[in-house]
Amino acid sequence: MDTKREKAELITGSECLLRCLLHEGVESVFGYPGGNALYIYDAMVDNPEFKHILTRHEQGAIHAADGYARSTGKVGVCIATSGPGATNLITGIATAYMDSVPLVIITGNVSTTVMGTDAFQEADIVSMTLSITKHSYSVRHVQDLPRIVHEAFHIASTGRKGPVLIDIPKDVSNHKLYYQPAAAIRLRGYESNPNLDTDQINILIQAITESERPIIIAGGGVVYSGATNELLEFVIKTNIPVATTLLGLGGFPSAHDLWLGMPGHHGAYAANMAIQHADLIISMGSRFDDRVTMSVDGFAPQAKRIAHIDIDPAEIGKNVKADIACIGDIKAVLNYANTKAIASPSDRWIKEIQEYKRQFPLRYKDSDTELKPQFVIEMIHETTRVEAIITTDVGQHQMWTAQFYKFNHPRSLITSGGLGTMGFGFPAAIGAQIGNPKRLVVSVNGDGGMQMCAQEMAICSIHRIPVKIVVINNQVLGMVKQQQELSYAKRYSQIDLAGSPDFVKLAEAYGIKGLRASNKAEASRVWQEALNTPGPVLVEFVVPKEENVYPMVLAGTALHEMILGDVE
């Protein structure tokens, strides 16, 4: 007699799945049921401690799980059925994959007995998502489920983090097993945290002592590794200025004198010019993507050496040749580096950069008759005292938020970087608020992206999730319009959003308070009302469609070839 089995309880695969998720510490799951996931949803009836949020679209579910993960550092979880339920997750999976976000995605599938017959709502989601998942599982034997769930969470949350898919056929979810939680992890060939090459770090420290014009480019890896304090200590010891990428914002305090702003396509003048004149570039958890480098041939032409610190060896040298390769978790690399670090001879360089910041700060032409979007972001920044979690959708409002909201804390900006997914911002805010119930969460959206997941206002209304929803309404696809204006000789095509709904009435239809402002006085009044109102509130700020995001580096040009706009 198997005494181990005698102690175990005989349960279904669906009940096993829920217990495994609770065992992993999962606090909330976002999802949408369907036929081939119904055994899983049936098991929830007898598990009142299992918290599930019913979104109104599968894409809303995965974006909410993503926002939860980015804002908490924990693994986000979502569930969907087979076929269209699973395929509706693909954009969200790619969004998380591009930005290294830890998710576990659970999909139902048709029974193993009809797989490959084009059964109703059958789709090979594992094959479809191979290039946008860190790992995938197709569960064929219910006995494997505890191990698979345990491994999935481990893979998603270690090394370079990312999404892991678990596809469960309907019959497997109803098969029975003697349940015991999985214990040890044994994954051949999976190296979650490579050993530090201290020789390379020592070479970097030596290069710093020889550099008169060094700069650090801090990316999302600094935030994901929890290395904010280590980076600050490193900067204090080495006296090196820091530019933070879009996903790196908050990884280094914007209030610090050595912070230069965001580099790249819509980067700050000081950040871009510092990169172009630096003799040493140190990238930390930034993958030198094209929105940061722009023309690679014209990137950092005066750099004698480029150092790249990243946990993923595949990123080293992928886009920009690295002379010094420090492979490893950034927190671990900096912990070692801080035992050796000394100041670079950069005093003259610091003065030069401070002059860049003084002469060319981020600015815009304010107006007493129109409500400028930059003013709205500055107002949100001032009234939230830099303590809010800000989520954004994708477009001009995203760049204005990155420019004019000054982030001092990690995991305070939740935005889609690599994939640039419209419709991401609002459901991500829901996930962030559920993960951080005591913090103010503000969701900044354009009028285009807001309409892609507006149905998720139902969740905020039903559960009284107190997200403050901001809609920057310029009645146009602003970022597309700006590119058509500057690169396509003002040949505007398919950008008019004038037929959009009345967002205030739309919010009210969902049972949410709606407010609107079209000038500064109204903006200040309604925004304060929103902050003082318990529960969710939508505030529409009507802004001119002519406003563009500057500075801007056009595609194919180098970072120093910035267009400064109306204030140039």
Side-chain angles (χ1 to χ4, degrees):
M1 179 70 68
D2 189 339
T3 55
K4 203 172 186 182
R5 174 171 288 194
E6 270 188 340
K7 294 178 182 177
E9 184 180 356
L10 185 65
I11 60 175
T12 67
S14 295
E15 176 67 27
C16 170
L17 173 65
L18 301 193
R19 293 193 190 186
C20 289
L21 293 177
L22 291 171
H23 184 72
E24 296 293 338
V26 174
E27 298 170 328
S28 186
V29 172
F30 306 87
Y32 202 97
N36 287 317
L38 283 187
Y39 284 126
I40 297 171
Y41 277 86
D42 181 69
M44 294 179 193
V45 176
D46 297 322
N47 283 273
E49 72 274 25
F50 188 85
K51 185 177 180 182
H52 178 280
I53 301 294
L54 174 63
T55 60
R56 295 305 184 262
H57 193 288
E58 291 89 354
Q59 189 166 333
I62 192 164
H63 290 333
D66 188 315
Y68 173 91
R70 293 187 200 228
S71 64
T72 64
K74 302 173 184 177
V75 178
V77 181
C78 66
I79 301 177
T81 191
S82 64
T87 58
N88 278 343
L89 297 175
I90 288 177
T91 297
I93 296 172
T95 300
Y97 183 78
M98 287 284 281
D99 290 348
S100 305
V101 179
L103 297 183
V104 169
I105 302 106
I106 298 160
T107 54
N109 210 332
V110 300
S111 294
T112 56
T113 54
V114 295
M115 276 188 170
T117 68
D118 292 330
F120 178 66
Q121 291 193 331
E122 180 181 4
D124 185 358
I125 193 64
V126 171
S127 296
M128 289 181 189
T129 58
L130 277 176
S131 65
I132 53 171
T133 50
K134 190 175 177 185
H135 194 63
S136 296
Y137 292 94
S138 178
V139 185
R140 297 305 177 96
H141 304 287
V142 71
Q143 294 84 359
D144 295 333
L145 198 52
R147 172 186 60 80
I148 286 172
V149 173
H150 196 40
E151 288 179 2
F153 275 81
H154 177 73
I155 293 169
S157 60
T158 56
R160 181 176 181 173
K161 300 171 177 63
V164 177
L165 177 75
I166 304 176
D167 191 49
I168 307 175
K170 186 174 183 178
D171 55 339
V172 173
S173 70
N174 194 42
H175 288 166
K176 291 189 176 181
L177 76 159
Y178 287 96
Y179 170 71
Q180 285 187 327
I185 296 283
R186 292 185 298 273
L187 294 170
R188 279 192 309 178
Y190 178 65
E191 189 176 358
S192 63
N193 197 1
N195 294 326
L196 293 185
D197 185 343
T198 55
D199 288 343
Q200 286 292 299
I201 304 174
N202 290 333
I203 292 171
L204 171 60
I205 298 300
Q206 180 62 34
I208 290 171
T209 66
E210 299 167 356
S211 168
E212 297 180 351
R213 302 189 309 279
I215 181 175
I216 294 167
I217 302 175
V222 171
V223 175
Y224 299 154
S225 68
T228 300
N229 292 333
E230 289 76 11
L231 174 57
L232 181 59
E233 180 184 347
F234 184 77
V235 169
I236 291 171
K237 287 182 173 180
T238 60
N239 201 35
I240 301 177
V242 180
T244 44
T245 69
L246 178 65
L247 296 182
L249 289 171
F252 186 80
S254 63
H256 198 284
D257 285 344
L258 290 180
W259 183 67
L260 305 179
M262 181 177 69
H265 184 44
H266 288 293
Y269 183 90
N272 283 348
M273 293 302 287
I275 289 172
Q276 294 302 83
H277 290 94
D279 61 8
L280 173 65
I281 304 286
I282 306 171
S283 171
M284 298 184 181
S286 171
R287 53 193 178 82
F288 289 115
D289 78 288
D290 57 301
R291 284 297 176 103
V292 169
T293 63
M294 301 308 291
S295 170
V296 174
D297 290 340
F299 178 74
Q302 296 186 34
K304 298 175 183 175
R305 306 182 90 174
I306 292 179
H308 196 167
I309 304 171
D310 205 290
I311 199 167
D312 185 356
E315 289 297 340
I316 308 293
K318 184 177 80 175
N319 296 323
V320 172
K321 181 181 179 293
D323 304 293
I324 304 168
C326 301
I327 300 169
D329 178 78
I330 293 170
K331 190 182 184 80
V333 171
L334 287 177
N335 272 327
Y336 176 83
N338 283 332
T339 66
K340 307 267 185 167
I342 59 175
S344 64
S346 58
D347 289 346
R348 184 181 297 180
W349 171 239
I350 299 299
K351 290 179 182 178
E352 184 180 335
I353 286 176
Q354 297 294 356
E355 191 62 19
Y356 288 152
K357 291 172 68 174
R358 189 189 67 80
Q359 288 189 9
F360 299 99
L362 290 168
R363 50 191 172 185
Y364 61 97
K365 282 190 176 180
D366 204 357
S367 172
D368 292 325
T369 57
E370 295 180 309
L371 180 60
K372 291 298 185 79
Q374 300 94 329
F375 170 84
V376 173
I377 302 303
E378 287 181 325
M379 177 186 68
I380 295 172
H381 163 76
E382 291 165 5
T383 54
T384 58
R385 300 180 179 88
V386 205
E387 294 300 319
I389 294 175
I390 307 294
T391 76
T392 82
D393 212 80
V394 171
Q396 288 179 313
H397 69 277
Q398 178 191 35
M399 294 296 102
W400 286 317
T401 301
Q403 291 176 337
F404 290 96
Y405 195 101
K406 305 306 181 187
F407 296 91
N408 280 334
H409 307 294
R411 301 192 184 278
S412 292
L413 174 63
I414 311 299
T415 193
S416 171
L419 199 65
T421 303
M422 289 181 68
F424 170 85
F426 174 46
I430 294 172
Q433 187 72 85
I434 289 173
N436 302 268
K438 295 183 179 179
R439 290 188 67 181
L440 172 65
V441 176
V442 180
S443 176
V444 182
N445 308 271
D447 48 321
M450 185 64 203
Q451 294 180 76
M452 292 189 175
C453 278
Q455 72 279 348
E456 306 306 338
M457 279 193 279
I459 304 174
C460 286
S461 180
I462 293 167
H463 298 284
R464 303 309 296 166
I465 299 171
V467 173
K468 308 308 176 188
I469 309 161
V470 170
V471 179
I472 306 292
N473 188 356
N474 59 4
Q475 298 191 342
V476 72
L477 284 171
M479 193 60 85
V480 179
K481 172 195 162 292
Q482 180 167 340
Q483 292 183 44
Q484 289 177 346
E485 177 181 326
L486 297 176
S487 300
Y488 294 85
K490 297 186 178 181
R491 292 167 58 85
Y492 300 122
S493 176
Q494 306 303 315
I495 56 171
D496 187 4
L497 295 180
S500 299
D502 182 322
F503 288 101
V504 171
K505 290 182 178 179
L506 184 62
E508 291 171 347
Y510 281 104
I512 293 175
K513 176 183 277 192
L515 303 167
R516 180 182 292 113
S518 56
N519 59 51
K520 284 183 174 180
E522 290 177 349
S524 298
R525 177 179 59 79
V526 302
W527 179 243
Q528 198 58 53
E529 183 178 347
L531 292 176
N532 293 337
T533 301
V537 182
L538 182 145
V539 186
E540 177 188 10
F541 294 102
V542 181
V543 301
K545 66 178 63 175
E546 296 77 21
E547 199 70 18
N548 283 335
V549 182
Y550 294 112
M552 180 179 184
V553 181
L554 295 177
T557 63
L559 289 178
H560 60 276
E561 300 176 273
M562 285 168 280
I563 301 173
L564 299 182
D566 295 336
V567 297
E568 190 165 4

